[in-house]
């Protein structure tokens, strides 16, 4: 059968029909709000390249978490900016480190919120790389030991989920074993398994104070000309004990999310990163695009690609705008 009997426009005729046949929706439970906490701040510091986002001080972080909880935001992911960086990343696994204290305080004050802790070294090392460096090279295996210490420390502080984002080989295995050995065998790992070396991360590095002082991250993050390599990253991380997989960035990587969803049965999420946020904010400020509609469209594209959850700087706004179901 074909035109004039077949007419695809029939089902687009009115909102009731259009909504009847909708296959994908954005749900409030899908959204994870990233939060930056600055150890040496006493009031929030605006992040210039990310209008509406802040580095929070300890007390204002708790107020913000409470506000998110009342709005119905169900999860947050924390990034710490320590007062002191060093060559070992000591503040990342310090008992009284900023993330450790923030995790414990949010868990106490906001019992409905799932608290995810990003596990990485870039905010804690003087040179801003995600691993230890010797003679200009990233020391993969030495980094694993530190990552395991950080993971155990965050789990001890009460983090509900750990999200390693460093891209060292073997990190999931080493972290999973360390968790097992320290009584945290039930703590889930959300692996940033598929993290591309992307220019979309630039505003985050301003926000987190983690611009590498030399070179770039392309010896550990993935080359965006590869797609099948993403499947190997997922496979190895699942074999090493990851529970969920993250694709990052999100906006230009729907094909990757889709392929992972097709080939693996694990939960897959994506991270709509800082540059995606800044780009849309900048255009919206010029009134060149409608921010609310475009954010709904981009986030729905991530759901359509197969993401079960989305780390998004708009999580709070999306709930305020009531565009999630
Ligand atoms: C690194 C890390 C990055 C982001 C979060 N953790 C990327 C990087 O600096 O290479 C980016 C997130 C964003 O852009 O919003 N541990």
């Amino acid at each position: 059968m074909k035109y004039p009997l077949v007419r695809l426009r029939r089902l687009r005729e009115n909102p009731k029909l259009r909504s009847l046949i909708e296959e994908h929706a954005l749900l409030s439970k899908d959204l994870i709000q990233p939060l930056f906490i600055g150890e040496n701040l006493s009031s929030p510091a605006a992040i210039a390249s990310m209008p509406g986002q802040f580095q929070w001080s300890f007390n204002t972080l708790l107020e913000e978490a409470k506000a998110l909880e009342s709005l119905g935001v169900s999860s947050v992911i924390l990034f710490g900016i320590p007062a002191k960086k060093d060559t070992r990343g000591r503040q990342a696994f310090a008992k009284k480190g900023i993330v450790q204290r923030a995790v414990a305080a949010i868990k106490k004050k906001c019992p409905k919120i799932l608290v995810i802790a990003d596990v990485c070294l870039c905010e804690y090392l003087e040179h801003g790389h995600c691993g230890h460096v010797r003679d200009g090279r990233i020391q993969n295996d030495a980094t694993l030991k530190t990552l395991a210490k950080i993971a155990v420390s965050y789990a001890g502080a009460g983090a509900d989920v750990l999200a390693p984002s460093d891209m060292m080989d073997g990190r999931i295995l080493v972290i999973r074993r360390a968790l097992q050995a320290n009584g945290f065998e039930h703590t889930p790992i959300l692996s940033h398994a598929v993290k591309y070396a992307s220019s979309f991360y630039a505003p985050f590095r301003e926000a987190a104070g983690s611009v590498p002082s030399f070179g770039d991250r392309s010896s550990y993050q993935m080359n965006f000309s590869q797609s099948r390599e993403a499947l190997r990253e997922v496979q190895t991380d699942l074999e090493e004990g990851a529970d969920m997989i993250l694709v990052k960035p999100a906006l230009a990587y729907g094909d990757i999310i889709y392929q992972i969803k097709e080939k693996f049965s694990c939960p897959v999420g994506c991270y709509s990163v800082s540059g995606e946020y800044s780009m849309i904010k900048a255009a919206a400020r010029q009134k060149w695009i409608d921010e609310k509609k475009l954010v709904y469209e981009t986030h729905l594209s991530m759901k359509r690609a197969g993401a079960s959850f989305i780390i998004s700087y708009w999580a709070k706004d999306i709930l305020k705008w009531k565009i999630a179901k």
Side-chain angles (χ1 to χ4, degrees):
M1 246 205 306
K2 55 186 181 200
Y3 175 83
L5 302 178
V6 172
R7 289 173 185 268
L8 292 177
R9 288 187 53 213
R10 244 179 240 133
L11 294 179
R12 296 178 199 148
E13 190 64 27
N14 64 53
K16 280 184 237 153
L17 280 171
R18 289 199 295 271
S19 115
L20 173 74
I21 61 168
E22 273 184 4
E23 291 177 301
H24 299 281
L26 189 56
L27 309 178
S28 63
K29 71 91 203 150
D30 297 340
L31 299 164
I32 302 168
Q33 174 75 49
L35 292 173
F36 299 101
I37 161 106
E39 188 169 24
N40 57 9
L41 294 179
S42 51
S43 58
I47 300 164
S49 55
M50 301 176 72
Q53 301 297 315
F54 298 85
Q55 281 187 20
W56 301 100
S57 62
F58 192 79
N59 290 335
T60 57
L61 178 86
L62 295 185
E63 286 163 22
E64 179 66 5
K66 202 71 208 166
L68 293 172
E69 187 182 45
S70 330
L71 268 171
V73 173
S74 49
S75 315
V76 299
I77 180 165
L78 293 182
F79 294 95
I81 302 117
K84 261 198 322 233
K85 297 176 193 277
D86 60 25
T87 53
R88 308 276 299 280
R90 282 192 189 84
Q91 285 309 308
F93 51 86
K95 211 167 171 146
K96 292 249 155 76
I98 187 62
V99 168
Q100 287 79 351
R101 284 192 287 133
V103 165
I106 296 178
K107 290 290 297 169
K108 196 159 160 210
K109 193 160 174 188
C110 309
K112 288 195 206 129
I113 289 192
L114 183 89
V115 180
I116 306 173
D118 179 80
V119 176
C120 196
L121 272 162
C122 54
E123 298 98 335
Y124 299 88
L125 291 170
E126 284 164 349
H127 48 64
H129 276 291
C130 300
H132 295 303
V133 172
R134 198 191 304 148
D135 303 328
R137 293 193 64 168
I138 308 294
Q139 303 295 302
N140 189 95
D141 299 4
T143 302
L144 300 185
K145 295 197 183 89
T146 312
L147 292 170
K149 273 202 244 177
I150 303 172
V152 168
S153 175
Y154 290 169
D160 294 306
V161 176
L162 301 171
S165 66
D166 52 284
M167 286 300 278
M168 296 302 119
D169 284 328
R171 71 208 201 281
I172 301 300
L173 182 67
V174 172
I175 290 173
R176 179 49 77 211
R177 283 201 175 135
L179 292 173
Q180 176 77 26
N182 285 277
F184 300 113
E185 66 274 19
H186 297 301
T187 303
I189 297 176
L190 165 59
S191 175
H192 287 67
V194 182
K195 180 170 176 183
Y196 283 92
S198 168
S199 298
F200 277 117
Y201 304 148
F204 172 92
R205 294 180 190 161
E206 180 204 324
S210 61
V211 179
S213 59
F214 66 92
D216 58 27
R217 302 207 204 286
S218 43
S219 78
Y220 41 106
Q221 298 177 350
M222 292 169 59
N223 178 340
F224 52 73
S225 82
Q226 322 276 45
S227 53
R228 287 178 312 140
E229 189 185 344
L231 305 178
R232 293 188 72 193
E233 284 285 3
V234 173
Q235 174 106 38
T236 52
D237 282 12
L238 290 176
E239 283 166 5
E240 291 177 20
D243 303 281
M244 299 176 271
I245 294 296
L246 200 66
V247 175
K248 176 176 179 175
L251 198 51
Y253 293 81
D255 58 323
I256 304 295
I257 301 171
Y258 184 80
Q259 286 186 58
I260 294 170
K261 191 71 174 204
E262 289 279 289
K263 303 224 162 74
F264 295 92
S265 53
C266 63
V268 182
C270 63
Y271 192 150
S272 178
V273 299
S274 55
E276 303 175 29
Y277 180 83
S278 305
M279 211 162 62
I280 291 179
K281 277 282 175 192
R285 285 192 147 193
Q286 303 277 351
K287 305 215 178 354
W288 290 339
I289 49 109
D290 179 324
E291 182 182 6
K292 214 192 278 189
K293 285 189 176 156
L294 190 55
V295 166
Y296 185 64
E297 185 176 334
T298 55
H299 285 60
L300 212 70
S301 82
M302 297 164 202
K303 293 297 302 285
R304 213 173 54 225
S308 300
F309 51 88
I310 304 170
I311 302 179
S312 168
Y313 296 99
W314 279 285
K316 184 182 185 185
D317 287 341
I318 288 173
L319 290 190
K320 267 204 211 148
W321 296 335
K322 300 194 189 318
I323 53 176
K325 305 237 156 65

